[in-house]
mmCIF file of all heavy atoms in Angstrom:
data_model
loop_
_atom_site.group_PDB
_atom_site.id
_atom_site.type_symbol
_atom_site.label_atom_id
_atom_site.label_comp_id
_atom_site.label_asym_id
_atom_site.label_seq_id
_atom_site.Cartn_x
_atom_site.Cartn_y
_atom_site.Cartn_z
ATOM 1 N N TYR A 26 -12.673 8.098 -24.247
ATOM 2 C CA TYR A 26 -12.701 6.646 -24.093
ATOM 3 C C TYR A 26 -14.139 6.147 -24.198
ATOM 4 O O TYR A 26 -15.088 6.885 -23.921
ATOM 5 C CB TYR A 26 -12.143 6.224 -22.726
ATOM 6 C CG TYR A 26 -10.708 6.620 -22.496
ATOM 7 C CD1 TYR A 26 -10.397 7.778 -21.803
ATOM 8 C CD2 TYR A 26 -9.664 5.827 -22.960
ATOM 9 C CE1 TYR A 26 -9.075 8.146 -21.588
ATOM 10 C CE2 TYR A 26 -8.342 6.181 -22.741
ATOM 11 C CZ TYR A 26 -8.055 7.353 -22.051
ATOM 12 O OH TYR A 26 -6.758 7.712 -21.840
ATOM 13 N N GLN A 27 -14.283 4.873 -24.569
ATOM 14 C CA GLN A 27 -15.594 4.231 -24.604
ATOM 15 C C GLN A 27 -15.504 2.874 -23.926
ATOM 16 O O GLN A 27 -14.476 2.192 -24.003
ATOM 17 C CB GLN A 27 -16.084 4.080 -26.047
ATOM 18 C CG GLN A 27 -16.390 5.420 -26.705
ATOM 19 C CD GLN A 27 -16.777 5.276 -28.162
ATOM 20 O OE1 GLN A 27 -16.408 4.312 -28.827
ATOM 21 N NE2 GLN A 27 -17.526 6.241 -28.677
ATOM 22 N N TYR A 28 -16.595 2.518 -23.242
ATOM 23 C CA TYR A 28 -16.655 1.236 -22.534
ATOM 24 C C TYR A 28 -17.511 0.285 -23.346
ATOM 25 O O TYR A 28 -18.701 0.530 -23.569
ATOM 26 C CB TYR A 28 -17.243 1.435 -21.135
ATOM 27 C CG TYR A 28 -17.102 0.216 -20.242
ATOM 28 C CD1 TYR A 28 -15.895 -0.052 -19.608
ATOM 29 C CD2 TYR A 28 -18.168 -0.651 -20.049
ATOM 30 C CE1 TYR A 28 -15.747 -1.167 -18.788
ATOM 31 C CE2 TYR A 28 -18.045 -1.767 -19.230
ATOM 32 C CZ TYR A 28 -16.826 -2.020 -18.607
ATOM 33 O OH TYR A 28 -16.676 -3.120 -17.805
ATOM 34 N N VAL A 29 -16.895 -0.789 -23.822
ATOM 35 C CA VAL A 29 -17.574 -1.767 -24.670
ATOM 36 C C VAL A 29 -18.085 -2.901 -23.783
ATOM 37 O O VAL A 29 -17.300 -3.581 -23.105
ATOM 38 C CB VAL A 29 -16.625 -2.314 -25.754
ATOM 39 C CG1 VAL A 29 -17.354 -3.335 -26.626
ATOM 40 C CG2 VAL A 29 -16.080 -1.177 -26.605
ATOM 41 N N ILE A 30 -19.413 -3.083 -23.774
ATOM 42 C CA ILE A 30 -20.029 -4.112 -22.929
ATOM 43 C C ILE A 30 -19.941 -5.468 -23.635
ATOM 44 O O ILE A 30 -20.326 -5.611 -24.805
ATOM 45 C CB ILE A 30 -21.497 -3.759 -22.640
ATOM 46 C CG1 ILE A 30 -21.567 -2.441 -21.860
ATOM 47 C CG2 ILE A 30 -22.188 -4.874 -21.849
ATOM 48 C CD1 ILE A 30 -22.973 -1.911 -21.690
ATOM 49 N N THR A 31 -19.424 -6.452 -22.910
ATOM 50 C CA THR A 31 -19.272 -7.797 -23.488
ATOM 51 C C THR A 31 -20.162 -8.825 -22.807
ATOM 52 O O THR A 31 -20.359 -9.922 -23.324
ATOM 53 C CB THR A 31 -17.803 -8.259 -23.384
ATOM 54 O OG1 THR A 31 -17.390 -8.193 -22.003
ATOM 55 C CG2 THR A 31 -16.907 -7.357 -24.224
ATOM 56 N N ASN A 32 -20.715 -8.504 -21.627
ATOM 57 C CA ASN A 32 -21.532 -9.472 -20.892
ATOM 58 C C ASN A 32 -22.560 -8.716 -20.058
ATOM 59 O O ASN A 32 -22.210 -7.788 -19.323
ATOM 60 C CB ASN A 32 -20.638 -10.340 -19.994
ATOM 61 C CG ASN A 32 -21.401 -11.516 -19.387
ATOM 62 O OD1 ASN A 32 -22.627 -11.534 -19.394
ATOM 63 N ND2 ASN A 32 -20.654 -12.480 -18.875
ATOM 64 N N ARG A 33 -23.821 -9.111 -20.146
ATOM 65 C CA ARG A 33 -24.886 -8.463 -19.389
ATOM 66 C C ARG A 33 -25.588 -9.432 -18.429
ATOM 67 O O ARG A 33 -26.720 -9.183 -18.032
ATOM 68 C CB ARG A 33 -25.943 -7.895 -20.356
ATOM 69 C CG ARG A 33 -25.533 -6.627 -21.066
ATOM 70 C CD ARG A 33 -26.627 -6.177 -21.987
ATOM 71 N NE ARG A 33 -26.354 -4.865 -22.552
ATOM 72 C CZ ARG A 33 -26.726 -3.726 -21.993
ATOM 73 N NH1 ARG A 33 -27.379 -3.728 -20.850
ATOM 74 N NH2 ARG A 33 -26.433 -2.574 -22.562
ATOM 75 N N ASN A 34 -24.940 -10.510 -18.036
ATOM 76 C CA ASN A 34 -25.625 -11.522 -17.222
ATOM 77 C C ASN A 34 -26.042 -10.971 -15.860
ATOM 78 O O ASN A 34 -27.142 -10.489 -15.682
ATOM 79 C CB ASN A 34 -24.745 -12.762 -17.057
ATOM 80 C CG ASN A 34 -24.684 -13.552 -18.365
ATOM 81 O OD1 ASN A 34 -25.576 -13.431 -19.193
ATOM 82 N ND2 ASN A 34 -23.629 -14.344 -18.533
ATOM 83 N N HIS A 35 -25.168 -11.036 -14.892
ATOM 84 C CA HIS A 35 -25.506 -10.567 -13.554
ATOM 85 C C HIS A 35 -25.026 -9.144 -13.327
ATOM 86 O O HIS A 35 -25.578 -8.420 -12.512
ATOM 87 C CB HIS A 35 -24.898 -11.504 -12.489
ATOM 88 C CG HIS A 35 -25.410 -12.908 -12.613
ATOM 89 N ND1 HIS A 35 -26.715 -13.246 -12.316
ATOM 90 C CD2 HIS A 35 -24.801 -14.047 -13.024
ATOM 91 C CE1 HIS A 35 -26.886 -14.546 -12.522
ATOM 92 N NE2 HIS A 35 -25.735 -15.060 -12.952
ATOM 93 N N SER A 36 -24.008 -8.765 -14.009
ATOM 94 C CA SER A 36 -23.493 -7.395 -13.921
ATOM 95 C C SER A 36 -22.896 -7.037 -15.276
ATOM 96 O O SER A 36 -22.571 -7.919 -16.072
ATOM 97 C CB SER A 36 -22.427 -7.276 -12.821
ATOM 98 O OG SER A 36 -21.330 -8.110 -13.126
ATOM 99 N N LEU A 37 -22.780 -5.765 -15.498
ATOM 100 C CA LEU A 37 -22.221 -5.322 -16.772
ATOM 101 C C LEU A 37 -20.721 -5.591 -16.787
ATOM 102 O O LEU A 37 -19.995 -5.144 -15.900
ATOM 103 C CB LEU A 37 -22.489 -3.830 -16.983
ATOM 104 C CG LEU A 37 -23.945 -3.438 -17.241
ATOM 105 C CD1 LEU A 37 -24.069 -1.930 -17.395
ATOM 106 C CD2 LEU A 37 -24.477 -4.132 -18.492
ATOM 107 N N GLU A 38 -20.273 -6.325 -17.767
ATOM 108 C CA GLU A 38 -18.852 -6.588 -17.929
ATOM 109 C C GLU A 38 -18.413 -6.064 -19.285
ATOM 110 O O GLU A 38 -19.170 -6.088 -20.260
ATOM 111 C CB GLU A 38 -18.553 -8.086 -17.832
ATOM 112 C CG GLU A 38 -18.896 -8.692 -16.479
ATOM 113 C CD GLU A 38 -18.667 -10.187 -16.443
ATOM 114 O OE1 GLU A 38 -18.112 -10.712 -17.447
ATOM 115 O OE2 GLU A 38 -19.033 -10.824 -15.443
ATOM 116 N N GLY A 39 -17.177 -5.603 -19.350
ATOM 117 C CA GLY A 39 -16.668 -5.084 -20.604
ATOM 118 C C GLY A 39 -15.254 -4.561 -20.443
ATOM 119 O O GLY A 39 -14.541 -4.930 -19.498
ATOM 120 N N HIS A 40 -14.857 -3.703 -21.357
ATOM 121 C CA HIS A 40 -13.501 -3.164 -21.289
ATOM 122 C C HIS A 40 -13.475 -1.780 -21.915
ATOM 123 O O HIS A 40 -14.296 -1.439 -22.773
ATOM 124 C CB HIS A 40 -12.517 -4.092 -22.013
ATOM 125 C CG HIS A 40 -12.842 -4.298 -23.469
ATOM 126 N ND1 HIS A 40 -13.676 -5.298 -23.900
ATOM 127 C CD2 HIS A 40 -12.473 -3.611 -24.593
ATOM 128 C CE1 HIS A 40 -13.796 -5.240 -25.214
ATOM 129 N NE2 HIS A 40 -13.079 -4.212 -25.670
ATOM 130 N N TRP A 41 -12.490 -0.979 -21.481
ATOM 131 C CA TRP A 41 -12.295 0.360 -22.035
ATOM 132 C C TRP A 41 -11.524 0.280 -23.346
ATOM 133 O O TRP A 41 -10.640 -0.561 -23.510
ATOM 134 C CB TRP A 41 -11.499 1.235 -21.064
ATOM 135 C CG TRP A 41 -12.244 1.713 -19.857
ATOM 136 C CD1 TRP A 41 -12.028 1.327 -18.573
ATOM 137 C CD2 TRP A 41 -13.283 2.694 -19.827
ATOM 138 N NE1 TRP A 41 -12.884 1.993 -17.732
ATOM 139 C CE2 TRP A 41 -13.665 2.839 -18.471
ATOM 140 C CE3 TRP A 41 -13.936 3.448 -20.802
ATOM 141 C CZ2 TRP A 41 -14.660 3.726 -18.066
ATOM 142 C CZ3 TRP A 41 -14.934 4.328 -20.409
ATOM 143 C CH2 TRP A 41 -15.283 4.456 -19.063
ATOM 144 N N GLU A 42 -11.847 1.169 -24.250
ATOM 145 C CA GLU A 42 -11.077 1.345 -25.483
ATOM 146 C C GLU A 42 -10.862 2.837 -25.716
ATOM 147 O O GLU A 42 -11.688 3.660 -25.310
ATOM 148 C CB GLU A 42 -11.825 0.764 -26.694
ATOM 149 C CG GLU A 42 -11.923 -0.748 -26.691
ATOM 150 C CD GLU A 42 -12.594 -1.270 -27.964
ATOM 151 O OE1 GLU A 42 -13.012 -0.426 -28.802
ATOM 152 O OE2 GLU A 42 -12.690 -2.504 -28.116
ATOM 153 N N VAL A 43 -9.748 3.159 -26.360
ATOM 154 C CA VAL A 43 -9.568 4.521 -26.839
ATOM 155 C C VAL A 43 -10.547 4.726 -27.981
ATOM 156 O O VAL A 43 -10.675 3.875 -28.859
ATOM 157 C CB VAL A 43 -8.116 4.755 -27.306
ATOM 158 C CG1 VAL A 43 -7.956 6.129 -27.921
ATOM 159 C CG2 VAL A 43 -7.159 4.583 -26.136
ATOM 160 N N ALA A 44 -11.248 5.848 -27.970
ATOM 161 C CA ALA A 44 -12.328 6.051 -28.935
ATOM 162 C C ALA A 44 -11.819 6.180 -30.364
ATOM 163 O O ALA A 44 -12.551 5.910 -31.308
ATOM 164 C CB ALA A 44 -13.140 7.288 -28.545
ATOM 165 N N TYR A 45 -10.559 6.580 -30.537
ATOM 166 C CA TYR A 45 -10.043 6.836 -31.878
ATOM 167 C C TYR A 45 -8.933 5.853 -32.179
ATOM 168 O O TYR A 45 -7.875 5.876 -31.558
ATOM 169 C CB TYR A 45 -9.546 8.281 -31.988
ATOM 170 C CG TYR A 45 -10.633 9.244 -31.583
ATOM 171 C CD1 TYR A 45 -10.647 9.786 -30.316
ATOM 172 C CD2 TYR A 45 -11.671 9.554 -32.459
ATOM 173 C CE1 TYR A 45 -11.672 10.630 -29.919
ATOM 174 C CE2 TYR A 45 -12.694 10.394 -32.072
ATOM 175 C CZ TYR A 45 -12.694 10.929 -30.805
ATOM 176 O OH TYR A 45 -13.711 11.748 -30.406
ATOM 177 N N LYS A 46 -9.207 4.950 -33.106
ATOM 178 C CA LYS A 46 -8.239 3.914 -33.452
ATOM 179 C C LYS A 46 -6.960 4.547 -33.991
ATOM 180 O O LYS A 46 -6.981 5.593 -34.630
ATOM 181 C CB LYS A 46 -8.813 2.971 -34.502
ATOM 182 C CG LYS A 46 -10.161 2.386 -34.121
ATOM 183 C CD LYS A 46 -10.130 1.665 -32.777
ATOM 184 C CE LYS A 46 -11.499 1.102 -32.431
ATOM 185 N NZ LYS A 46 -11.556 0.586 -31.061
ATOM 186 N N GLY A 47 -5.854 3.899 -33.731
ATOM 187 C CA GLY A 47 -4.581 4.418 -34.196
ATOM 188 C C GLY A 47 -3.948 5.391 -33.225
ATOM 189 O O GLY A 47 -2.846 5.876 -33.440
ATOM 190 N N SER A 48 -4.630 5.679 -32.118
ATOM 191 C CA SER A 48 -4.068 6.585 -31.126
ATOM 192 C C SER A 48 -2.921 5.897 -30.397
ATOM 193 O O SER A 48 -2.917 4.687 -30.188
ATOM 194 C CB SER A 48 -5.156 6.989 -30.131
ATOM 195 O OG SER A 48 -4.615 7.757 -29.094
ATOM 196 N N SER A 49 -1.941 6.686 -29.979
ATOM 197 C CA SER A 49 -0.756 6.115 -29.321
ATOM 198 C C SER A 49 -0.914 6.057 -27.802
ATOM 199 O O SER A 49 0.011 5.694 -27.099
ATOM 200 C CB SER A 49 0.477 6.960 -29.669
ATOM 201 O OG SER A 49 0.310 8.293 -29.200
ATOM 202 N N GLU A 50 -2.083 6.434 -27.277
ATOM 203 C CA GLU A 50 -2.262 6.465 -25.830
ATOM 204 C C GLU A 50 -2.082 5.069 -25.222
ATOM 205 O O GLU A 50 -2.522 4.067 -25.797
ATOM 206 C CB GLU A 50 -3.646 7.012 -25.465
ATOM 207 C CG GLU A 50 -3.737 8.531 -25.419
ATOM 208 C CD GLU A 50 -3.701 9.166 -26.797
ATOM 209 O OE1 GLU A 50 -3.819 8.432 -27.801
ATOM 210 O OE2 GLU A 50 -3.535 10.395 -26.871
ATOM 211 N N VAL A 51 -1.465 5.029 -24.048
ATOM 212 C CA VAL A 51 -1.235 3.755 -23.382
ATOM 213 C C VAL A 51 -2.011 3.657 -22.086
ATOM 214 O O VAL A 51 -2.114 2.591 -21.502
ATOM 215 C CB VAL A 51 0.271 3.543 -23.099
ATOM 216 C CG1 VAL A 51 1.048 3.443 -24.396
ATOM 217 C CG2 VAL A 51 0.820 4.666 -22.232
ATOM 218 N N PHE A 52 -2.568 4.767 -21.627
ATOM 219 C CA PHE A 52 -3.299 4.776 -20.360
ATOM 220 C C PHE A 52 -4.753 4.403 -20.615
ATOM 221 O O PHE A 52 -5.414 4.986 -21.469
ATOM 222 C CB PHE A 52 -3.233 6.182 -19.745
ATOM 223 C CG PHE A 52 -4.063 6.336 -18.489
ATOM 224 C CD1 PHE A 52 -3.491 6.152 -17.243
ATOM 225 C CD2 PHE A 52 -5.398 6.673 -18.565
ATOM 226 C CE1 PHE A 52 -4.248 6.304 -16.091
ATOM 227 C CE2 PHE A 52 -6.160 6.820 -17.431
ATOM 228 C CZ PHE A 52 -5.591 6.635 -16.183
ATOM 229 N N LEU A 53 -5.267 3.418 -19.895
ATOM 230 C CA LEU A 53 -6.686 3.090 -19.939
ATOM 231 C C LEU A 53 -7.255 3.183 -18.537
ATOM 232 O O LEU A 53 -6.574 2.845 -17.554
ATOM 233 C CB LEU A 53 -6.901 1.679 -20.494
ATOM 234 C CG LEU A 53 -6.653 1.494 -21.998
ATOM 235 C CD1 LEU A 53 -6.801 0.025 -22.383
ATOM 236 C CD2 LEU A 53 -7.600 2.356 -22.822
#
């Protein structure tokens, strides 16, 4: 998994993604 940072203001904000696109995994 990789954590994509979307906001660096007061704290790091972002979301998890499966590292390999097209994967069928549903757990994040």
Side-chain angles (χ1 to χ4, degrees):
Y26 299 96
Q27 293 176 335
Y28 191 80
V29 180
I30 297 172
T31 56
N32 190 344
R33 284 179 172 270
N34 287 337
H35 300 291
S36 62
L37 290 179
E38 297 177 7
H40 59 271
W41 286 111
E42 291 184 357
V43 175
Y45 305 99
K46 307 304 180 189
S48 174
S49 61
E50 276 73 11
V51 296
F52 175 94
L53 288 176

